[in-house]
Amino acid sequence: MALYSEKVMDHFRNPRNVGVIEDANGVGEVGNLKCGDIMKMYLKIEDDIISDVKFETFGCGSAIASSSMATELIKGQPVEKARELTNQAVAEALDGLPDYKMHCSVLAEEAIIAALDDYEKKSSVSDLSDK
Ligand code: FES
């Protein structure tokens, strides 16, 4: 049996939504201290919908495939749906990851949460300045 599913290989070779959103209103960066890999997520949120998402991942193939799949899963979704995305859901959508690579999908979940937290922090600050 192949170690990696075809979906993992596909998202690793042709990652979707790679890049930077200049006017993102939520940005999150996380890293894994053990392997040193880093993932950065950019969200453009309009009316509580994730209208655009891009990522930069300096990491292993599973981390790249996980971030690519995670962006596909949250694009066009409401904010609260994106918050519920788990690393298991990302791994399942990729038709599985080897056990010792599951932590790579955790980075994708954490990067999205970090970007959503950043968005919420920024939008509560702008709420205050409106008053
Ligand atoms: Fe570091 Fe995969 S080995 S995220």
Side-chain angles (χ1 to χ4, degrees):
M1 207 191 93
L3 191 51
Y4 292 108
S5 73
E6 270 178 36
K7 273 200 193 156
V8 173
M9 293 312 292
D10 177 34
H11 280 262
F12 165 59
R13 291 199 180 108
N14 308 296
R16 327 298 198 259
N17 309 309
V18 175
V20 174
I21 300 177
E22 295 295 347
D23 60 344
N25 44 13
V27 180
E29 185 174 325
V30 294
N32 180 306
L33 285 179
K34 270 199 193 137
C35 61
D37 292 350
I38 295 170
M39 194 182 289
K40 198 164 178 180
M41 280 282 166
Y42 300 84
L43 300 177
K44 179 80 189 161
I45 300 172
E46 288 162 313
D47 297 329
D48 270 341
I49 301 285
I50 299 181
S51 57
D52 200 10
V53 46
K54 291 214 184 304
F55 77 90
E56 293 176 306
T57 292
F58 304 95
C60 73
S62 299
I64 291 168
S66 296
S67 21
S68 168
M69 181 53 90
T71 57
E72 289 282 273
L73 291 173
I74 64 165
K75 203 172 190 173
Q77 296 293 321
V79 164
E80 76 255 32
K81 259 259 138 82
R83 263 206 185 276
E84 288 166 8
L85 183 73
T86 61
N87 77 297
Q88 283 93 343
V90 173
E92 263 168 43
L94 286 168
D95 290 339
L97 284 170
D99 279 352
Y100 69 98
K101 283 283 171 184
M102 280 305 280
H103 76 271
C104 316
S105 63
V106 173
L107 270 190
E109 177 188 324
E110 289 179 349
I112 289 170
I113 297 292
L116 289 170
D117 285 347
D118 181 51
Y119 164 71
E120 267 151 36
K121 209 167 65 201
K122 282 180 181 145
S123 48
S124 63
V125 169
S126 61
D127 280 355
L128 285 178
S129 58
D130 283 350
K131 288 182 187 130

Short mmCIF file of all heavy atoms in Angstrom, two decimals, residues 32 34-39 57-64 100-101 103-105 107, ligand 1:
data_model
loop_
_atom_site.label_atom_id
_atom_site.label_comp_id
_atom_site.label_asym_id
_atom_site.label_seq_id
_atom_site.Cartn_x
_atom_site.Cartn_y
_atom_site.Cartn_z
N ASN A 32 5.27 24.25 14.53
CA ASN A 32 5.47 23.07 15.35
C ASN A 32 6.94 23.07 15.79
O ASN A 32 7.84 23.05 14.96
CB ASN A 32 5.15 21.82 14.51
CG ASN A 32 5.34 20.55 15.32
OD1 ASN A 32 6.40 20.30 15.90
ND2 ASN A 32 4.30 19.74 15.36
N LYS A 34 8.73 20.90 17.25
CA LYS A 34 9.54 19.68 17.05
C LYS A 34 10.15 19.63 15.67
O LYS A 34 11.34 19.37 15.52
CB LYS A 34 8.68 18.44 17.27
CG LYS A 34 8.72 18.00 18.71
CD LYS A 34 8.28 16.56 18.82
CE LYS A 34 8.03 16.24 20.28
NZ LYS A 34 6.82 15.45 20.47
N CYS A 35 9.32 19.87 14.63
CA CYS A 35 9.86 19.74 13.28
C CYS A 35 10.28 21.09 12.71
O CYS A 35 10.98 21.14 11.70
CB CYS A 35 8.84 19.09 12.35
SG CYS A 35 7.33 20.04 12.19
N GLY A 36 9.83 22.18 13.34
CA GLY A 36 10.22 23.51 12.88
C GLY A 36 9.40 24.02 11.71
O GLY A 36 9.71 25.06 11.14
N ASP A 37 8.32 23.30 11.35
CA ASP A 37 7.51 23.74 10.22
C ASP A 37 6.58 24.89 10.63
O ASP A 37 6.13 24.95 11.77
CB ASP A 37 6.68 22.57 9.68
CG ASP A 37 7.58 21.52 9.03
OD1 ASP A 37 8.76 21.81 8.84
OD2 ASP A 37 7.08 20.43 8.71
N ILE A 38 6.32 25.77 9.67
CA ILE A 38 5.53 26.98 9.94
C ILE A 38 4.42 27.10 8.91
O ILE A 38 4.64 26.83 7.72
CB ILE A 38 6.41 28.25 9.87
CG1 ILE A 38 7.46 28.21 10.98
CG2 ILE A 38 5.58 29.52 9.98
CD1 ILE A 38 8.51 29.29 10.83
N MET A 39 3.25 27.53 9.36
CA MET A 39 2.12 27.71 8.45
C MET A 39 1.47 29.07 8.74
O MET A 39 1.27 29.43 9.89
CB MET A 39 1.11 26.60 8.69
CG MET A 39 0.06 26.47 7.62
SD MET A 39 -1.11 25.16 8.04
CE MET A 39 -0.13 23.68 7.83
N THR A 57 3.02 27.79 3.52
CA THR A 57 3.52 26.76 4.43
C THR A 57 4.97 26.46 4.13
O THR A 57 5.32 26.15 2.99
CB THR A 57 2.67 25.48 4.31
OG1 THR A 57 1.37 25.74 4.82
CG2 THR A 57 3.27 24.33 5.10
N PHE A 58 5.79 26.64 5.16
CA PHE A 58 7.19 26.25 5.06
C PHE A 58 7.29 24.95 5.84
O PHE A 58 7.50 24.95 7.05
CB PHE A 58 8.09 27.34 5.66
CG PHE A 58 7.86 28.67 5.02
CD1 PHE A 58 6.99 29.59 5.59
CD2 PHE A 58 8.47 28.99 3.81
CE1 PHE A 58 6.75 30.81 4.98
CE2 PHE A 58 8.22 30.21 3.20
CZ PHE A 58 7.36 31.12 3.78
N GLY A 59 7.02 23.85 5.16
CA GLY A 59 6.98 22.62 5.92
C GLY A 59 6.96 21.39 5.04
O GLY A 59 7.16 21.46 3.82
N CYS A 60 6.64 20.30 5.67
CA CYS A 60 6.69 19.00 5.00
C CYS A 60 5.52 18.87 4.01
O CYS A 60 4.59 19.67 4.03
CB CYS A 60 6.62 17.89 6.04
SG CYS A 60 4.98 17.72 6.76
N GLY A 61 5.57 17.83 3.21
CA GLY A 61 4.54 17.60 2.21
C GLY A 61 3.16 17.43 2.81
O GLY A 61 2.16 17.92 2.26
N SER A 62 3.07 16.75 3.94
CA SER A 62 1.76 16.55 4.58
C SER A 62 1.20 17.87 5.10
O SER A 62 -0.02 18.08 5.07
CB SER A 62 1.86 15.57 5.75
OG SER A 62 2.31 14.33 5.29
N ALA A 63 2.08 18.75 5.56
CA ALA A 63 1.62 20.06 6.03
C ALA A 63 1.10 20.89 4.85
O ALA A 63 0.08 21.58 4.95
CB ALA A 63 2.75 20.79 6.76
N ILE A 64 1.79 20.80 3.73
CA ILE A 64 1.35 21.54 2.53
C ILE A 64 0.00 20.99 2.05
O ILE A 64 -0.94 21.74 1.80
CB ILE A 64 2.42 21.45 1.42
CG1 ILE A 64 3.65 22.25 1.86
CG2 ILE A 64 1.88 21.95 0.08
CD1 ILE A 64 4.88 22.04 1.01
N TYR A 100 1.97 8.98 12.08
CA TYR A 100 3.05 9.87 12.54
C TYR A 100 3.06 11.19 11.76
O TYR A 100 3.90 12.05 12.01
CB TYR A 100 4.41 9.15 12.45
CG TYR A 100 4.89 8.89 11.05
CD1 TYR A 100 5.81 9.75 10.44
CD2 TYR A 100 4.41 7.81 10.32
CE1 TYR A 100 6.23 9.52 9.14
CE2 TYR A 100 4.83 7.58 9.03
CZ TYR A 100 5.74 8.44 8.45
OH TYR A 100 6.15 8.22 7.16
N LYS A 101 2.11 11.36 10.84
CA LYS A 101 1.99 12.62 10.10
C LYS A 101 0.71 13.37 10.48
O LYS A 101 0.42 14.43 9.91
CB LYS A 101 1.99 12.33 8.59
CG LYS A 101 3.38 12.04 8.06
CD LYS A 101 4.13 13.34 7.93
CE LYS A 101 5.59 13.14 7.62
NZ LYS A 101 6.30 14.43 7.61
N HIS A 103 0.12 15.05 13.07
CA HIS A 103 0.41 16.37 13.67
C HIS A 103 0.52 17.46 12.59
O HIS A 103 0.31 18.64 12.89
CB HIS A 103 1.69 16.33 14.52
CG HIS A 103 2.95 16.30 13.72
ND1 HIS A 103 3.54 15.14 13.28
CD2 HIS A 103 3.72 17.31 13.24
CE1 HIS A 103 4.63 15.44 12.59
NE2 HIS A 103 4.75 16.76 12.55
N CYS A 104 0.82 17.08 11.37
CA CYS A 104 0.92 18.06 10.29
C CYS A 104 -0.46 18.67 10.00
O CYS A 104 -0.57 19.86 9.71
CB CYS A 104 1.50 17.42 9.04
SG CYS A 104 2.91 16.35 9.37
N SER A 105 -1.50 17.84 10.12
CA SER A 105 -2.85 18.36 9.88
C SER A 105 -3.30 19.24 11.05
O SER A 105 -4.15 20.12 10.88
CB SER A 105 -3.84 17.22 9.65
OG SER A 105 -3.95 16.39 10.78
N LEU A 107 -1.51 21.46 12.42
CA LEU A 107 -1.05 22.81 12.08
C LEU A 107 -2.11 23.57 11.29
O LEU A 107 -2.34 24.76 11.52
CB LEU A 107 0.22 22.75 11.24
CG LEU A 107 1.59 22.74 11.91
CD1 LEU A 107 2.67 22.93 10.86
CD2 LEU A 107 1.71 23.84 12.96
FE1 FES B 1 6.32 19.20 10.52
FE2 FES B 1 4.77 17.76 9.00
S1 FES B 1 6.71 17.22 9.78
S2 FES B 1 4.31 19.65 9.93
#
